[in-house]
Short mmCIF file of all heavy atoms in Angstrom, two decimals:
data_model
loop_
_atom_site.label_atom_id
_atom_site.label_comp_id
_atom_site.label_asym_id
_atom_site.label_seq_id
_atom_site.Cartn_x
_atom_site.Cartn_y
_atom_site.Cartn_z
N ARG A 436 -17.04 7.29 -4.86
CA ARG A 436 -16.51 8.18 -5.94
C ARG A 436 -15.04 8.19 -6.02
O ARG A 436 -14.45 8.82 -6.90
CB ARG A 436 -17.05 9.65 -5.68
CG ARG A 436 -18.57 9.78 -5.79
CD ARG A 436 -18.99 11.22 -5.73
NE ARG A 436 -18.76 11.78 -4.36
CZ ARG A 436 -18.43 13.07 -4.11
NH1 ARG A 436 -18.25 13.90 -5.07
NH2 ARG A 436 -18.31 13.44 -2.91
N THR A 437 -14.34 7.55 -5.07
CA THR A 437 -12.86 7.59 -5.00
C THR A 437 -12.26 6.54 -5.86
O THR A 437 -12.87 5.50 -6.14
CB THR A 437 -12.36 7.45 -3.55
OG1 THR A 437 -12.93 6.25 -2.99
CG2 THR A 437 -12.85 8.63 -2.73
N LEU A 438 -10.99 6.80 -6.27
CA LEU A 438 -10.23 5.82 -7.03
C LEU A 438 -8.76 6.03 -6.79
O LEU A 438 -8.31 7.14 -6.50
CB LEU A 438 -10.50 5.90 -8.54
CG LEU A 438 -10.29 7.19 -9.29
CD1 LEU A 438 -9.86 6.90 -10.69
CD2 LEU A 438 -11.54 7.98 -9.29
N ARG A 439 -7.99 4.97 -6.93
CA ARG A 439 -6.52 4.98 -6.84
C ARG A 439 -5.88 4.77 -8.19
O ARG A 439 -6.24 3.84 -8.83
CB ARG A 439 -6.00 3.92 -5.75
CG ARG A 439 -4.60 4.06 -5.41
CD ARG A 439 -4.11 2.81 -4.66
NE ARG A 439 -3.89 1.70 -5.59
CZ ARG A 439 -3.39 0.50 -5.23
NH1 ARG A 439 -3.13 0.29 -3.98
NH2 ARG A 439 -3.23 -0.45 -6.10
N LEU A 440 -4.92 5.61 -8.54
CA LEU A 440 -4.16 5.45 -9.73
C LEU A 440 -2.68 5.31 -9.45
O LEU A 440 -2.11 6.24 -8.82
CB LEU A 440 -4.42 6.60 -10.69
CG LEU A 440 -5.85 6.90 -11.08
CD1 LEU A 440 -6.29 8.30 -10.58
CD2 LEU A 440 -6.04 6.80 -12.58
N SER A 441 -2.08 4.24 -9.90
CA SER A 441 -0.64 4.03 -9.75
C SER A 441 0.06 4.53 -11.01
O SER A 441 -0.34 4.20 -12.14
CB SER A 441 -0.30 2.60 -9.50
OG SER A 441 1.07 2.40 -9.47
N PHE A 442 1.21 5.18 -10.89
CA PHE A 442 1.90 5.79 -12.03
C PHE A 442 3.27 5.15 -12.24
O PHE A 442 4.04 5.60 -13.17
CB PHE A 442 2.04 7.29 -11.80
CG PHE A 442 2.64 7.67 -10.47
CD1 PHE A 442 4.01 7.58 -10.23
CD2 PHE A 442 1.82 8.10 -9.47
CE1 PHE A 442 4.55 8.00 -9.03
CE2 PHE A 442 2.38 8.45 -8.22
CZ PHE A 442 3.69 8.39 -8.07
N THR A 443 3.65 4.09 -11.48
CA THR A 443 5.05 3.63 -11.59
C THR A 443 5.26 2.62 -12.67
O THR A 443 6.36 2.44 -13.20
CB THR A 443 5.47 3.09 -10.22
OG1 THR A 443 4.52 2.06 -9.77
CG2 THR A 443 5.52 4.13 -9.19
N THR A 444 4.27 1.80 -13.02
CA THR A 444 4.49 0.61 -13.85
C THR A 444 4.81 0.98 -15.33
O THR A 444 5.57 0.30 -15.98
CB THR A 444 3.28 -0.27 -13.87
OG1 THR A 444 2.96 -0.56 -12.46
CG2 THR A 444 3.51 -1.61 -14.53
N HIS A 445 4.18 2.05 -15.82
CA HIS A 445 4.24 2.35 -17.30
C HIS A 445 5.09 3.56 -17.57
O HIS A 445 5.26 4.38 -16.74
CB HIS A 445 2.78 2.51 -17.87
CG HIS A 445 1.91 1.38 -17.82
ND1 HIS A 445 2.07 0.28 -18.65
CD2 HIS A 445 0.90 1.03 -16.94
CE1 HIS A 445 1.16 -0.64 -18.38
NE2 HIS A 445 0.45 -0.21 -17.37
N THR A 446 5.55 3.55 -18.80
CA THR A 446 6.37 4.69 -19.23
C THR A 446 5.47 5.96 -19.39
O THR A 446 4.24 5.85 -19.43
CB THR A 446 7.03 4.43 -20.56
OG1 THR A 446 6.04 4.29 -21.63
CG2 THR A 446 7.90 3.14 -20.55
N GLU A 447 6.14 7.11 -19.54
CA GLU A 447 5.36 8.35 -19.73
C GLU A 447 4.44 8.27 -20.94
O GLU A 447 3.41 8.76 -21.01
CB GLU A 447 6.29 9.57 -19.71
CG GLU A 447 7.00 9.78 -18.40
CD GLU A 447 7.97 10.98 -18.47
OE1 GLU A 447 7.61 11.93 -19.15
OE2 GLU A 447 9.02 10.93 -17.86
N THR A 448 4.97 7.69 -22.04
CA THR A 448 4.20 7.51 -23.25
C THR A 448 2.98 6.68 -23.05
O THR A 448 1.89 6.98 -23.46
CB THR A 448 5.09 6.95 -24.34
OG1 THR A 448 6.20 7.81 -24.63
CG2 THR A 448 4.28 6.78 -25.68
N GLU A 449 3.20 5.57 -22.34
CA GLU A 449 2.07 4.66 -22.00
C GLU A 449 1.08 5.31 -21.11
O GLU A 449 -0.12 5.14 -21.25
CB GLU A 449 2.63 3.39 -21.45
CG GLU A 449 3.43 2.54 -22.39
CD GLU A 449 4.16 1.38 -21.73
OE1 GLU A 449 4.52 1.53 -20.54
OE2 GLU A 449 4.45 0.35 -22.40
N ILE A 450 1.56 6.10 -20.18
CA ILE A 450 0.63 6.80 -19.25
C ILE A 450 -0.28 7.76 -20.06
O ILE A 450 -1.48 7.87 -19.82
CB ILE A 450 1.42 7.53 -18.15
CG1 ILE A 450 2.00 6.51 -17.19
CG2 ILE A 450 0.49 8.49 -17.43
CD1 ILE A 450 2.97 7.06 -16.19
N ALA A 451 0.39 8.49 -21.00
CA ALA A 451 -0.41 9.44 -21.78
C ALA A 451 -1.47 8.71 -22.60
O ALA A 451 -2.62 9.20 -22.71
CB ALA A 451 0.53 10.21 -22.71
N GLU A 452 -1.16 7.52 -23.16
CA GLU A 452 -2.09 6.77 -23.86
C GLU A 452 -3.17 6.24 -22.94
O GLU A 452 -4.39 6.25 -23.28
CB GLU A 452 -1.43 5.61 -24.57
CG GLU A 452 -2.37 4.58 -25.24
CD GLU A 452 -3.30 5.16 -26.35
OE1 GLU A 452 -2.99 6.26 -26.83
OE2 GLU A 452 -4.31 4.50 -26.62
N GLY A 453 -2.80 5.83 -21.74
CA GLY A 453 -3.83 5.37 -20.77
C GLY A 453 -4.80 6.47 -20.41
O GLY A 453 -6.00 6.23 -20.27
N LEU A 454 -4.31 7.63 -20.25
CA LEU A 454 -5.14 8.82 -19.98
C LEU A 454 -6.13 9.10 -21.13
O LEU A 454 -7.29 9.46 -20.91
CB LEU A 454 -4.33 10.03 -19.66
CG LEU A 454 -3.55 10.01 -18.32
CD1 LEU A 454 -2.52 11.14 -18.24
CD2 LEU A 454 -4.46 10.08 -17.14
N ARG A 455 -5.61 8.96 -22.38
CA ARG A 455 -6.49 9.16 -23.51
C ARG A 455 -7.63 8.14 -23.48
O ARG A 455 -8.78 8.42 -23.72
CB ARG A 455 -5.69 9.04 -24.85
CG ARG A 455 -6.50 9.34 -26.03
CD ARG A 455 -5.82 8.87 -27.33
NE ARG A 455 -5.72 7.44 -27.38
CZ ARG A 455 -6.74 6.60 -27.65
NH1 ARG A 455 -7.92 7.15 -27.94
NH2 ARG A 455 -6.60 5.34 -27.70
N ARG A 456 -7.29 6.91 -23.19
CA ARG A 456 -8.33 5.84 -23.10
C ARG A 456 -9.29 6.12 -21.94
O ARG A 456 -10.48 5.85 -22.06
CB ARG A 456 -7.67 4.44 -22.89
CG ARG A 456 -6.79 4.04 -24.09
CD ARG A 456 -6.13 2.70 -23.76
NE ARG A 456 -5.18 2.29 -24.82
CZ ARG A 456 -4.51 1.10 -24.79
NH1 ARG A 456 -4.73 0.24 -23.84
NH2 ARG A 456 -3.61 0.83 -25.76
N LEU A 457 -8.76 6.61 -20.83
CA LEU A 457 -9.62 6.88 -19.71
C LEU A 457 -10.58 7.99 -19.99
O LEU A 457 -11.78 7.93 -19.67
CB LEU A 457 -8.79 7.24 -18.51
CG LEU A 457 -9.49 7.43 -17.15
CD1 LEU A 457 -10.31 6.19 -16.78
CD2 LEU A 457 -8.51 7.77 -16.07
N ALA A 458 -10.14 9.00 -20.76
CA ALA A 458 -11.03 10.08 -21.19
C ALA A 458 -12.10 9.56 -22.08
O ALA A 458 -13.31 9.94 -21.99
CB ALA A 458 -10.22 11.16 -21.91
N ALA A 459 -11.76 8.65 -23.00
CA ALA A 459 -12.76 8.07 -23.91
C ALA A 459 -13.72 7.19 -23.12
O ALA A 459 -15.00 7.23 -23.41
CB ALA A 459 -12.03 7.18 -24.96
N ALA A 460 -13.26 6.44 -22.10
CA ALA A 460 -14.13 5.63 -21.31
C ALA A 460 -15.11 6.50 -20.53
O ALA A 460 -16.33 6.25 -20.38
CB ALA A 460 -13.30 4.84 -20.32
N GLY A 461 -14.58 7.70 -20.05
CA GLY A 461 -15.45 8.66 -19.28
C GLY A 461 -16.53 9.19 -20.21
O GLY A 461 -17.67 9.32 -19.75
N GLY A 462 -16.19 9.49 -21.45
CA GLY A 462 -17.17 9.97 -22.38
C GLY A 462 -18.24 8.94 -22.72
O GLY A 462 -19.42 9.26 -22.67
N ALA A 463 -17.82 7.70 -22.84
CA ALA A 463 -18.79 6.62 -23.12
C ALA A 463 -19.67 6.40 -21.87
O ALA A 463 -20.85 6.12 -21.97
CB ALA A 463 -18.03 5.35 -23.51
N HIS A 464 -19.04 6.47 -20.73
CA HIS A 464 -19.82 6.32 -19.50
C HIS A 464 -20.84 7.40 -19.33
O HIS A 464 -22.05 7.06 -18.95
CB HIS A 464 -18.82 6.28 -18.29
CG HIS A 464 -19.49 6.23 -16.98
ND1 HIS A 464 -20.36 5.25 -16.56
CD2 HIS A 464 -19.41 7.13 -15.91
CE1 HIS A 464 -20.78 5.49 -15.33
NE2 HIS A 464 -20.22 6.63 -14.89
N ALA A 465 -20.47 8.64 -19.60
CA ALA A 465 -21.43 9.75 -19.43
C ALA A 465 -22.56 9.61 -20.48
O ALA A 465 -23.73 9.90 -20.10
CB ALA A 465 -20.69 11.04 -19.61
N GLU A 466 -22.26 9.18 -21.66
CA GLU A 466 -23.27 8.99 -22.64
C GLU A 466 -24.26 7.93 -22.27
O GLU A 466 -25.47 8.02 -22.44
CB GLU A 466 -22.61 8.63 -23.97
CG GLU A 466 -23.64 8.46 -25.15
CD GLU A 466 -24.39 9.74 -25.52
OE1 GLU A 466 -23.80 10.81 -25.20
OE2 GLU A 466 -25.52 9.64 -25.91
N ALA A 467 -23.69 6.79 -21.70
CA ALA A 467 -24.60 5.70 -21.21
C ALA A 467 -25.51 6.23 -20.11
O ALA A 467 -26.69 5.80 -20.05
CB ALA A 467 -23.72 4.55 -20.73
N LYS A 468 -24.95 7.06 -19.25
CA LYS A 468 -25.79 7.64 -18.14
C LYS A 468 -26.89 8.47 -18.68
O LYS A 468 -28.05 8.43 -18.22
CB LYS A 468 -24.94 8.40 -17.21
CG LYS A 468 -24.00 7.58 -16.25
CD LYS A 468 -23.25 8.46 -15.29
CE LYS A 468 -24.17 9.20 -14.38
NZ LYS A 468 -23.40 9.97 -13.34
#
Side-chain angles (χ1 to χ4, degrees):
R436 295 187 290 149
T437 56
L438 59 146
R439 190 193 76 178
L440 301 119
S441 175
F442 51 81
T443 54
T444 308
H445 294 286
T446 66
E447 293 178 37
T448 299
E449 291 168 335
I450 290 171
E452 171 60 19
L454 290 168
R455 187 195 65 76
R456 296 181 188 182
L457 186 56
H464 173 58
E466 182 62 29
K468 286 183 64 176

